[in-house]
Amino acid sequence: MKININNIIPEEKINDLKELKPSREKINDVLNKALTLQGLSMEEAAVLLNIEDDETLNQLFKAAKTVKEKIYGKRIVLFSPLYVSNYCTNNCLYCAFRQANKDIKRRKLNVDEVIEEARSIINMGHKRILLVAGEDMTQVNLDYIEEIIRKIYELKIMKGEVRRININIAPLSIEDFKRLKTFNIGTYQSFQETYNHETYKAMHPSGLKANYEYRVETMDRAFQAGLNDVGVGVLYGLTDYRFEVLAQLAHAEYLDKTYGTGPHTISMPRIEPAKGSEIADQPPHAVSDIEFKKIVAVLRLAVPYTGLILTTRERAEFRKEVLELGVSQMSAGSKTNPGGYHEEDSTEQFQIGDHRGLDEVIRELSETGYLPSFCTSCYRLGRVGKDFMDYAKPGLIQKFCQPNAILTFKEYLEDYASEETQIAGQKCIEQHIAEIPDERVKEKLNRQLEKVHNGERDIYI
Ligand code: SAM
Ligand code: SF4
């Protein structure tokens, strides 16, 4: 199928829209629409992107917080990345793994080493892994991916196991995506990095990734292969963030219209320092903290049912501020070098900003009113793609997601938490149970919690 890229990313239109300076009245109209949870068009989102005065910014943040809480409650889903290889045939100027960087220690984990890493992640208490690899199909091919995924799912350590493997590897052909789908993966992620043609060309001088169109069409190939659970992203700092947010929304809108469902998640990495990269040390369009918060808030209002992912690239204190604006998933306890959960002898992809272990992150979440969740039940009950979107409506979330989050958090507390975190976590669970309005749901949940306490695992409603 021949795709016209301009239909997906109308660059000229976006360039005009990003300069929009709307009236106060127009901003209020858009915020009011967003509060009805219908989402926003790219044109409406543009109205919010140039807000600068503190008062209106606070209004924007408040609206984002309201929408987030209506849809997701206080739940935050946790995961950790597992880097399996830092070999790469591309040359993204911002990344330590790029082929031309001769100054790094290359490493691809063999199957046993991958399992050892997965073991460490399970022993932290995680149930979700994001498999990540540099783009070199001679190192990381589908046979290897198939084998490691199968072996990770087979791994059982005491009461621990991985229940969902998301994956961020090189874009594939339709045929290969069809094969990937048979591996029982969760979300397939690939980030466009930048939607600006010229910047894209400058940042990706060689390798398969140099082809802008092939990269944009990645999700078309994935959907056409039957994968309907995909994650997209922009690497913020390469070009004007207002352009990127609008282009990201245009892409999401296009996927929704063409395939009946938009992306399941959006990631918003900001460029961090990376070994041997000048661009990463001094990004050409560095995004400030306040701009980053605006990006999160606008995305939350524009695509309210799409998961927003925040990684350990961001500093611990700042993560706290951003969480409330719309984030639904975050990584914790992460390493970005292959083998990093065991030793430090390979180069990491970029510097991370939050070095805390999972236990500490969980404790802070519990103490600040959030509900840490390790839930994977939707996917395992087949509620993905459009089904998931239909499901992610406030009433149903209260009925299923909240209790399931509590059950998986209880598992974590029983099996992995330090004493201090157990106390904070138990209190957190009690507070969230008290907020469940339906007495029958509450009763059922209490019975299930008792079962978890008595050693049963993987129970969901
Ligand atoms: N190699 C695959 C790719 O490029 O899509 C997948 C893995 S790559 C390791 C994951 C993501 O890390 C990239 O898509 C990019 O957005 C991000 N990344 C690369 N360099 C970075 C840096 N210096 N700081 C923050 N994120 C970076
Ligand atoms: Fe390779 Fe991905 Fe890094 Fe680019 S971002 S150099 S493709 S690992």
Side-chain angles (χ1 to χ4, degrees):
M1 185 163 73
K2 184 83 192 109
I3 293 164
N4 181 347
I5 291 290
N6 202 47
N7 286 345
I8 309 179
I9 314 295
E11 279 201 28
E12 237 175 81
K13 182 173 173 191
I14 296 175
N15 273 322
D16 288 345
L17 278 174
K18 77 176 170 52
E19 301 300 337
L20 214 64
K21 294 276 181 315
S23 64
R24 188 63 201 248
E25 220 181 340
K26 183 76 196 154
I27 294 176
N28 282 340
D29 285 350
V30 171
L31 287 178
N32 284 335
K33 178 177 176 199
L35 287 169
T36 63
L37 312 185
Q38 297 170 61
L40 300 175
S41 65
M42 174 176 75
E43 288 80 0
E44 288 163 336
V47 168
L48 305 177
L49 275 174
N50 283 315
I51 297 178
E52 261 164 17
D53 67 290
D54 287 350
E55 195 189 330
T56 326
L57 266 180
N58 283 335
Q59 220 184 321
L60 167 69
F61 294 159
K62 208 169 140 210
K65 193 172 170 203
T66 307
V67 166
K68 182 201 155 162
E69 289 198 1
K70 273 197 189 155
I71 295 183
Y72 299 86
K74 287 286 195 177
R75 286 171 301 120
I76 299 285
V77 170
L78 291 141
F79 71 95
S80 227
L82 198 176
Y83 278 70
V84 296
S85 166
N86 61 9
Y87 283 92
C88 193
T89 48
N90 292 320
N91 264 310
C92 314
L93 298 188
Y94 43 79
C95 179
F97 294 173
R98 70 187 189 283
Q99 189 182 41
N101 191 2
K102 300 295 175 216
D103 218 16
I104 78 164
K105 269 197 166 161
R106 301 276 170 189
R107 183 149 182 225
K108 175 197 156 189
L109 303 184
N110 64 33
V111 176
D112 290 341
E113 289 166 335
V114 172
I115 295 306
E116 279 316 300
E117 290 285 278
R119 227 175 241 287
S120 301
I121 297 176
I122 291 173
N123 285 336
M124 275 189 246
H126 279 294
K127 299 283 185 275
R128 285 179 190 234
I129 281 182
L130 172 66
L131 265 192
V132 188
E135 301 193 4
D136 181 344
M137 291 303 270
T138 62
Q139 295 286 346
V140 172
N141 59 29
L142 284 186
D143 291 337
Y144 170 81
I145 293 287
E146 182 174 25
E147 187 177 0
I148 59 178
I149 288 181
R150 183 171 45 79
K151 295 216 160 124
I152 296 173
Y153 278 136
E154 280 169 6
L155 197 58
K156 307 278 175 232
I157 308 169
M158 309 283 279
K159 296 195 172 97
E161 63 189 353
V162 173
R163 296 180 186 155
R164 178 173 168 92
I165 302 176
N166 297 330
I167 184 158
N168 188 333
I169 57 164
L172 302 173
S173 64
I174 296 181
E175 279 316 300
D176 284 346
F177 271 131
K178 281 187 184 160
R179 191 169 160 212
L180 186 69
K181 184 177 157 64
T182 65
F183 301 168
N184 190 18
I185 59 161
T187 308
Y188 169 75
Q189 285 187 353
S190 172
F191 305 156
Q192 182 59 32
E193 322 294 11
T194 174
Y195 284 95
N196 179 302
H197 249 106
E198 263 176 44
T199 312
Y200 190 91
K201 263 198 221 145
M203 290 296 151
H204 307 98
S206 60
L208 193 58
K209 198 165 165 180
N211 186 335
Y212 175 92
E213 283 77 12
Y214 186 77
R215 188 83 177 178
V216 174
E217 291 165 5
T218 300
M219 295 312 172
D220 290 273
R221 295 193 300 279
F223 274 112
Q224 285 162 23
L227 273 174
N228 57 1
D229 187 342
V230 301
V232 295
V234 158
L235 180 61
Y236 283 97
L238 298 178
T239 190
D240 189 331
Y241 75 90
R242 300 168 306 168
F243 178 89
E244 303 287 27
V245 171
L246 296 177
Q248 180 77 94
L249 292 174
H251 194 187
E253 237 173 73
Y254 160 81
L255 293 174
D256 196 13
K257 268 197 204 131
T258 314
Y259 302 103
T261 179
H264 183 58
T265 55
I266 293 182
S267 299
M268 325 150 281
R270 271 199 292 190
I271 299 184
E272 295 300 326
K275 195 164 188 209
S277 164
E278 281 171 30
I279 294 276
D281 278 344
Q282 281 189 318
H285 290 263
V287 167
S288 69
D289 283 359
I290 195 79
E291 287 166 344
F292 190 73
K293 286 169 75 169
K294 208 183 339 177
I295 293 169
V296 176
V298 171
L299 288 174
R300 179 68 303 138
L301 296 179
V303 283
Y305 296 104
T306 304
L308 290 184
I309 302 180
L310 185 70
T311 69
T312 53
R313 289 174 180 87
E314 301 298 337
R315 306 169 326 269
E317 329 78 72
F318 185 56
R319 294 225 287 176
K320 219 156 88 181
E321 284 180 49
V322 181
L323 273 188
E324 64 174 24
L325 298 176
V327 171
S328 54
Q329 293 188 26
M330 70 193 270
S331 52
S334 310
K335 300 281 181 198
T336 68
N337 53 325
Y341 295 101
H342 281 87
E343 76 277 333
E344 302 287 339
D345 73 342
S346 62
T347 303
E348 58 180 8
Q349 193 196 8
F350 48 81
Q351 263 177 34
I352 60 175
D354 183 349
H355 297 268
R356 296 172 302 167
L358 179 62
D359 187 79
E360 198 181 336
V361 172
I362 295 270
R363 187 160 64 244
E364 185 189 271
L365 288 172
S366 307
E367 286 169 351
T368 45
Y370 289 102
L371 173 60
S373 170
F374 295 88
C375 187
T376 53
S377 62
C378 268
Y379 315 108
R380 289 146 83 233
L381 290 169
R383 295 194 293 250
V384 294
K386 186 165 182 322
D387 288 349
F388 175 83
M389 297 297 173
D390 290 343
Y391 220 83
K393 301 287 180 299
L396 293 175
I397 283 184
Q398 292 299 335
K399 207 161 159 193
F400 295 97
C401 300
Q402 193 77 354
N404 286 336
I406 292 174
L407 285 167
T408 55
F409 184 33
K410 178 75 174 167
E411 289 186 346
Y412 174 84
L413 293 179
E414 295 278 335
D415 298 339
Y416 303 101
S418 65
E419 213 173 299
E420 227 183 322
T421 302
Q422 272 183 24
I423 296 168
Q426 193 50 42
K427 209 166 140 195
C428 163
I429 285 186
E430 281 157 24
Q431 279 161 359
H432 284 100
I433 295 180
E435 284 166 16
I436 296 178
D438 186 331
E439 283 305 318
R440 278 170 312 173
V441 174
K442 237 189 232 181
E443 269 168 37
K444 183 159 185 203
L445 174 59
N446 278 323
R447 282 197 303 276
Q448 305 282 55
L449 281 169
E450 196 51 37
K451 287 188 192 163
V452 174
H453 180 63
N454 292 331
E456 269 190 60
R457 292 291 172 267
D458 202 13
I459 305 176
Y460 41 86
I461 291 181

Short mmCIF file of all heavy atoms in Angstrom, two decimals, residues 97-118:
data_model
loop_
_atom_site.label_atom_id
_atom_site.label_comp_id
_atom_site.label_asym_id
_atom_site.label_seq_id
_atom_site.Cartn_x
_atom_site.Cartn_y
_atom_site.Cartn_z
N PHE A 97 25.01 4.33 21.32
CA PHE A 97 25.13 3.03 20.64
C PHE A 97 25.42 3.18 19.14
O PHE A 97 25.61 2.18 18.45
CB PHE A 97 23.82 2.24 20.78
CG PHE A 97 23.47 1.80 22.18
CD1 PHE A 97 22.24 1.21 22.44
CD2 PHE A 97 24.36 1.99 23.23
CE1 PHE A 97 21.90 0.79 23.73
CE2 PHE A 97 24.02 1.58 24.52
CZ PHE A 97 22.78 1.00 24.78
N ARG A 98 25.45 4.40 18.60
CA ARG A 98 25.56 4.54 17.14
C ARG A 98 26.84 3.89 16.62
O ARG A 98 27.87 3.90 17.29
CB ARG A 98 25.46 6.01 16.73
CG ARG A 98 26.64 6.83 17.11
CD ARG A 98 26.40 8.31 16.82
NE ARG A 98 27.64 9.03 17.01
CZ ARG A 98 28.12 9.35 18.20
NH1 ARG A 98 27.46 9.03 19.29
NH2 ARG A 98 29.27 9.97 18.30
N GLN A 99 26.73 3.39 15.39
CA GLN A 99 27.81 2.56 14.84
C GLN A 99 29.16 3.27 14.86
O GLN A 99 30.19 2.67 15.17
CB GLN A 99 27.45 2.17 13.40
CG GLN A 99 28.38 1.14 12.81
CD GLN A 99 27.99 0.83 11.37
OE1 GLN A 99 27.64 1.72 10.60
NE2 GLN A 99 28.00 -0.44 11.03
N ALA A 100 29.16 4.57 14.53
CA ALA A 100 30.44 5.28 14.40
C ALA A 100 31.11 5.53 15.74
O ALA A 100 32.27 5.95 15.78
CB ALA A 100 30.20 6.61 13.68
N ASN A 101 30.42 5.28 16.82
CA ASN A 101 31.02 5.52 18.14
C ASN A 101 31.93 4.34 18.50
O ASN A 101 31.48 3.30 18.97
CB ASN A 101 29.91 5.69 19.19
CG ASN A 101 30.46 6.21 20.51
OD1 ASN A 101 31.65 6.48 20.62
ND2 ASN A 101 29.57 6.35 21.49
N LYS A 102 33.23 4.56 18.28
CA LYS A 102 34.18 3.45 18.50
C LYS A 102 34.62 3.40 19.96
O LYS A 102 35.37 2.54 20.37
CB LYS A 102 35.43 3.64 17.60
CG LYS A 102 35.11 3.68 16.11
CD LYS A 102 34.53 2.33 15.62
CE LYS A 102 34.10 2.41 14.17
NZ LYS A 102 32.92 1.65 13.83
N ASP A 103 34.12 4.37 20.69
CA ASP A 103 34.60 4.55 22.05
C ASP A 103 33.76 3.80 23.09
O ASP A 103 33.79 4.14 24.26
CB ASP A 103 34.48 6.06 22.33
CG ASP A 103 35.63 6.54 23.15
OD1 ASP A 103 36.61 5.80 23.23
OD2 ASP A 103 35.50 7.65 23.72
N ILE A 104 32.95 2.84 22.64
CA ILE A 104 32.11 2.17 23.64
C ILE A 104 32.35 0.67 23.65
O ILE A 104 32.83 0.10 22.67
CB ILE A 104 30.59 2.45 23.44
CG1 ILE A 104 30.00 1.62 22.30
CG2 ILE A 104 30.32 3.91 23.20
CD1 ILE A 104 28.48 1.58 22.36
N LYS A 105 32.00 0.07 24.76
CA LYS A 105 32.12 -1.38 24.88
C LYS A 105 30.84 -2.00 24.33
O LYS A 105 29.76 -1.78 24.88
CB LYS A 105 32.24 -1.74 26.36
CG LYS A 105 33.65 -1.79 26.85
CD LYS A 105 33.69 -2.55 28.16
CE LYS A 105 35.11 -2.90 28.50
NZ LYS A 105 35.27 -3.23 29.90
N ARG A 106 30.97 -2.76 23.25
CA ARG A 106 29.79 -3.39 22.66
C ARG A 106 29.52 -4.72 23.35
O ARG A 106 30.44 -5.45 23.72
CB ARG A 106 30.00 -3.67 21.17
CG ARG A 106 30.30 -2.46 20.34
CD ARG A 106 29.06 -1.73 19.92
NE ARG A 106 29.42 -0.44 19.31
CZ ARG A 106 28.55 0.48 19.00
NH1 ARG A 106 27.26 0.31 19.21
NH2 ARG A 106 28.94 1.63 18.47
N ARG A 107 28.25 -5.02 23.45
CA ARG A 107 27.92 -6.30 24.06
C ARG A 107 26.53 -6.76 23.62
O ARG A 107 25.59 -5.97 23.58
CB ARG A 107 27.92 -6.10 25.58
CG ARG A 107 27.67 -7.37 26.31
CD ARG A 107 28.34 -7.45 27.64
NE ARG A 107 28.04 -8.74 28.18
CZ ARG A 107 27.67 -8.97 29.42
NH1 ARG A 107 27.59 -7.98 30.28
NH2 ARG A 107 27.39 -10.19 29.81
N LYS A 108 26.46 -8.03 23.25
CA LYS A 108 25.13 -8.63 23.04
C LYS A 108 25.02 -9.78 24.03
O LYS A 108 25.93 -10.62 24.12
CB LYS A 108 25.00 -9.16 21.62
CG LYS A 108 23.69 -9.91 21.41
CD LYS A 108 23.74 -10.77 20.16
CE LYS A 108 22.75 -11.91 20.27
NZ LYS A 108 22.90 -12.88 19.20
N LEU A 109 23.95 -9.82 24.79
CA LEU A 109 23.81 -10.88 25.79
C LEU A 109 23.44 -12.19 25.10
O LEU A 109 22.62 -12.21 24.18
CB LEU A 109 22.69 -10.53 26.78
CG LEU A 109 22.82 -9.19 27.53
CD1 LEU A 109 21.67 -9.07 28.54
CD2 LEU A 109 24.16 -9.06 28.24
N ASN A 110 24.06 -13.29 25.55
CA ASN A 110 23.58 -14.58 25.05
C ASN A 110 22.32 -14.96 25.85
O ASN A 110 21.95 -14.27 26.80
CB ASN A 110 24.67 -15.66 25.10
CG ASN A 110 25.11 -15.96 26.53
OD1 ASN A 110 24.30 -15.88 27.46
ND2 ASN A 110 26.38 -16.30 26.71
N VAL A 111 21.68 -16.05 25.42
CA VAL A 111 20.37 -16.36 26.01
C VAL A 111 20.48 -16.52 27.53
O VAL A 111 19.64 -16.00 28.29
CB VAL A 111 19.77 -17.62 25.34
CG1 VAL A 111 18.47 -18.01 26.00
CG2 VAL A 111 19.56 -17.37 23.86
N ASP A 112 21.53 -17.19 27.99
CA ASP A 112 21.67 -17.39 29.45
C ASP A 112 21.83 -16.05 30.17
O ASP A 112 21.30 -15.85 31.26
CB ASP A 112 22.89 -18.26 29.76
CG ASP A 112 22.63 -19.69 29.31
OD1 ASP A 112 21.45 -20.04 29.12
OD2 ASP A 112 23.62 -20.43 29.11
N GLU A 113 22.58 -15.15 29.53
CA GLU A 113 22.78 -13.83 30.17
C GLU A 113 21.47 -13.03 30.22
O GLU A 113 21.19 -12.34 31.19
CB GLU A 113 23.86 -13.04 29.41
CG GLU A 113 25.25 -13.61 29.61
CD GLU A 113 26.28 -13.06 28.62
OE1 GLU A 113 25.90 -12.63 27.50
OE2 GLU A 113 27.47 -13.09 28.95
N VAL A 114 20.67 -13.16 29.17
CA VAL A 114 19.37 -12.48 29.17
C VAL A 114 18.54 -13.00 30.34
O VAL A 114 17.91 -12.24 31.09
CB VAL A 114 18.60 -12.70 27.84
CG1 VAL A 114 17.17 -12.15 27.95
CG2 VAL A 114 19.33 -12.05 26.68
N ILE A 115 18.57 -14.31 30.53
CA ILE A 115 17.78 -14.91 31.60
C ILE A 115 18.27 -14.42 32.97
O ILE A 115 17.47 -14.15 33.86
CB ILE A 115 17.81 -16.46 31.49
CG1 ILE A 115 17.13 -16.89 30.19
CG2 ILE A 115 17.15 -17.13 32.69
CD1 ILE A 115 15.73 -16.34 30.00
N GLU A 116 19.59 -14.29 33.09
CA GLU A 116 20.13 -13.78 34.37
C GLU A 116 19.63 -12.36 34.64
O GLU A 116 19.28 -12.01 35.77
CB GLU A 116 21.67 -13.80 34.35
CG GLU A 116 22.26 -15.16 34.66
CD GLU A 116 21.57 -15.86 35.83
OE1 GLU A 116 21.56 -15.30 36.94
OE2 GLU A 116 21.00 -16.95 35.63
N GLU A 117 19.59 -11.55 33.60
CA GLU A 117 19.09 -10.18 33.75
C GLU A 117 17.60 -10.20 34.12
O GLU A 117 17.15 -9.47 35.01
CB GLU A 117 19.28 -9.39 32.45
CG GLU A 117 20.72 -9.07 32.13
CD GLU A 117 21.29 -7.96 33.00
OE1 GLU A 117 21.07 -6.78 32.72
OE2 GLU A 117 21.96 -8.32 33.99
N ALA A 118 16.84 -11.05 33.43
CA ALA A 118 15.40 -11.15 33.71
C ALA A 118 15.18 -11.58 35.16
O ALA A 118 14.29 -11.08 35.85
CB ALA A 118 14.74 -12.13 32.75
#
